[in-house]
Amino acid sequence: MDFHYPPGATPLNPDEINGLIPTHITTRAELDRWEQDNINEALLWLQKQKRKEVLNESFMKQLHKKMFCHVRRWAGRFRQSEKNIGAAWYQIPIELKQLCDDVEYWIENK
């Protein structure tokens, strides 16, 4: 695979590239297209959901899996490598819980 990243983009490490499901992808543009198609499917799934409890780790992982299940083997799981954006990989569960709690508070307190 020949992925050329624009400045500031988050590159995939070799393990992440090996975890891609479609084996025919050779460029970042092709990967982006597969991801977008998968996300569009997830949006349709999301519109049909009747759940009220969405501000939790379980739902977030389920949504992530729906968004990337046709693209990445690790869809629905927290990353295990450092990136140039976001929280440190080992802090993700804590940061996600804090974010969900914050959003719940904002909703309750308008």
Side-chain angles (χ1 to χ4, degrees):
M1 293 183 189
D2 187 24
F3 291 150
H4 296 282
Y5 300 97
T10 304
L12 298 174
N13 68 35
D15 287 337
E16 292 166 335
I17 290 172
N18 289 332
L20 294 176
I21 294 170
T23 56
H24 67 280
I25 288 178
T26 59
T27 68
R28 184 65 205 205
E30 290 172 343
L31 177 59
D32 290 345
R33 180 58 200 215
W34 271 79
E35 286 179 343
Q36 187 60 58
D37 289 346
N38 204 164
I39 290 168
N40 289 341
E41 286 181 31
L43 289 171
L44 292 174
W45 170 83
L46 191 57
Q47 289 174 347
K48 297 175 187 175
Q49 297 303 299
K50 305 278 190 239
R51 301 176 134 194
K52 293 186 181 200
E53 296 295 320
V54 297
L55 294 174
N56 59 63
E57 181 179 312
S58 176
F59 181 77
M60 297 295 173
K61 284 182 167 182
Q62 183 181 18
L63 178 58
H64 189 269
K65 185 167 187 135
K66 293 283 185 185
M67 291 171 65
F68 297 105
C69 64
H70 299 305
V71 181
R72 301 165 182 240
R73 287 186 182 88
W74 66 93
R77 293 180 287 186
F78 293 133
R79 64 178 159 82
Q80 299 287 308
S81 64
E82 287 302 318
K83 299 294 175 201
N84 61 345
I85 60 170
W89 68 269
Y90 55 87
Q91 289 281 1
I92 293 172
I94 297 163
E95 295 285 334
L96 180 59
K97 171 78 169 106
Q98 186 172 2
L99 176 63
C100 288
D101 289 349
D102 287 349
V103 171
E104 199 168 287
Y105 176 86
W106 299 331
I107 292 169
E108 289 173 1
N109 293 281
K110 299 184 185 351

